Amino acid sequence: MAESGTDNRREQPGPTEMRDPVVRREFQKAMVWIGLLVLVAMVWFLAQPILLILAAIVLAAMLDGGARLLGRVLPIGRGWRLAIVILAAVGFLAWISILAGAQLAAQAGELQATIVKQVDTLGQWAAARGITDGIDIAQIKQQMMGSIGKVTTFLGNFVGAVTSAVMAFVLAIFIAIDPRLYERGVAWMLPMSERDHFYGTMDNLGFTLRRLMAGRLIGMAVEGVGTWLLLWAGGVPMAALLGVLTGLLAFIPNIGAIVSGLLIVLVGFSAGTDTGLYAIGVYLAVQMVDGYLIVPMVAKRAVDLAPALVLGAQILFGTLFGILGLMLADPIVVMIKVALERESARGSKSDRSAKRAASGERKLAADRIAKRAN
């Protein structure tokens, strides 16, 4: 009887069998977490290629924005307008590299020597007044010179820097030629119900990036050219190099302005107190024009980012991914902001639809109750 009862007894799936819905659900949760960990590891180990692709996307937005802007004055096809923008960008880089490269490279070495001398002078002045007691000035100077050396080396070898960025520029050209092609490729991997939302997000993202980069380019041009002309007019040494450095560093908000300001002030005081005070005035004037005119007029109309958020992102990405992460911190924050705003808008729309549906159901139920009462 016991044996027969055992044979007739219905067996249930054990905790190790995948037929159990609880096991399957927990296994799916575990796979999601494992996949997330794998994704984080891939992002960490492939950070530089990913940042290079993001840089290409940002460059593509700039090229596309230039072609759209050119379309307001030239009634020609988009392909021709894009070709004009690309040729203009390549021509500008060639001019900087070939015509101005030798002069800037010579001034870069002079700049480093001037900075070393000024730091020594400042250290002696502070030591004489007991300000630097207990502080290793030599170590601080070595760290500063390492950073300045990297900046001047990059500028002095601008041709090599352009060569290393060719891949990102070529990728940006391919993306800018037909961005819809790549959007459709990504959308193909999404469910049909998500594709309209994805296309809308991409449209908003492209518009925001174009406005952000337009403001950034205008700010770079104003700061670079304005600094160069004003320093040259005031007799500040290496005005051309300082103007180029200020324009390039203007691509990095907050931190770039601080670094360029320190360079301008140190070089200015190397030529005398009056020249140093004039250099401070030039720096403040240029930053006020950019901060109170260019940025509010162009960038903040499309991108409303808190300065502390941008600075925090720059510190984080700069620490994790170096100079490339520092330069792309602002666009990355903008991309995340646009995606979150789109998701929030969709959630609000879904909530409103659910409320309307619930209200309709309650009204129908009330009508049915009223009919039964009658």
Side-chain angles (χ1 to χ4, degrees), residues 14-350:
T16 59
E17 297 187 37
M18 292 301 295
R19 291 180 297 171
D20 190 340
V22 176
V23 175
R24 286 201 303 268
R25 185 168 59 253
E26 295 300 324
F27 179 77
Q28 290 173 353
K29 292 181 181 179
M31 291 304 298
V32 168
W33 283 106
I34 293 174
L36 181 61
L37 291 176
V38 172
L39 179 62
V40 170
M42 290 180 62
V43 169
W44 179 260
F45 288 108
L46 301 176
Q48 293 301 319
I50 292 174
L51 289 176
L52 196 63
I53 294 173
L54 289 175
I57 294 174
V58 173
L59 288 174
M62 297 168 68
L63 296 176
D64 183 57
R68 290 170 182 263
L69 184 63
L70 199 59
R72 298 182 179 182
V73 294
L74 286 180
I76 57 178
R78 183 180 181 278
W80 291 106
R81 287 185 275 115
L82 184 62
I84 292 174
V85 173
I86 294 172
L87 290 176
V90 172
F92 174 75
L93 293 176
W95 176 78
I96 289 291
S97 302
I98 297 174
L99 298 181
Q103 179 184 1
L104 295 180
Q107 290 187 2
E110 184 181 352
L111 173 64
Q112 187 168 357
T114 302
I115 297 300
V116 171
K117 182 179 178 180
Q118 289 299 103
V119 171
D120 287 336
T121 303
L122 182 62
Q124 293 173 4
W125 178 85
R129 289 158 177 78
I131 299 175
T132 58
D133 292 343
I135 301 176
D136 191 352
I137 299 297
Q139 183 178 0
I140 295 177
K141 184 180 73 172
Q142 183 178 2
Q143 293 176 353
M144 289 182 61
M145 290 310 105
S147 302
I148 298 297
K150 291 178 183 179
V151 174
T152 54
T153 300
F154 167 77
L155 190 62
N157 299 282
F158 193 73
V159 176
V162 172
T163 303
S164 64
V166 165
M167 184 62 68
F169 189 70
V170 171
L171 182 59
I173 292 174
F174 282 115
I175 296 174
I177 289 174
D178 190 5
R180 296 295 181 185
L181 175 65
Y182 303 99
E183 288 183 8
R184 290 193 297 268
V186 176
W188 177 77
M189 296 183 290
L190 299 175
M192 293 290 291
S193 59
E194 297 290 331
R195 294 184 183 181
D196 288 340
H197 178 73
F198 171 77
Y199 287 132
T201 302
M202 289 298 101
D203 290 339
N204 287 2
L205 185 60
F207 172 78
T208 307
L209 276 180
R210 288 193 299 270
R211 293 293 295 270
L212 176 68
M213 291 299 105
R216 194 63 49 81
L217 287 176
I218 293 174
M220 291 172 65
V222 170
E223 290 192 34
V225 176
T227 300
W228 170 43
L229 293 178
L230 291 175
L231 292 180
W232 173 75
V236 179
M238 295 167 284
L241 176 62
L242 291 173
V244 172
L245 279 175
T246 301
L248 292 177
L249 290 171
F251 188 84
I252 310 173
N254 303 321
I255 295 177
I258 294 173
V259 175
S260 63
L262 288 175
L263 295 177
I264 291 172
V265 171
L266 288 174
V267 173
F269 277 101
S270 69
T273 304
D274 293 340
T275 306
L277 294 175
Y278 176 81
I280 294 176
V282 169
Y283 171 75
L284 294 177
V286 171
Q287 292 301 320
M288 287 179 64
V289 170
D290 181 65
Y292 290 97
L293 181 62
I294 303 299
V295 173
M297 183 177 63
V298 180
K300 286 190 176 180
R301 289 186 179 181
V303 185
D304 186 15
L305 294 178
L309 175 62
V310 175
L311 182 59
Q314 290 171 355
I315 295 173
L316 177 62
F317 284 99
T319 303
L320 293 176
F321 308 118
I323 185 64
L324 190 57
L326 180 63
M327 296 176 65
L328 294 176
D330 205 9
I332 290 174
V333 172
V334 168
M335 294 179 187
I336 296 173
K337 180 176 182 289
V338 170
L340 291 177
E341 286 178 344
R342 286 282 299 173
E343 193 64 29
S344 176
R346 182 168 68 168
S348 299
K349 184 177 179 181
S350 299

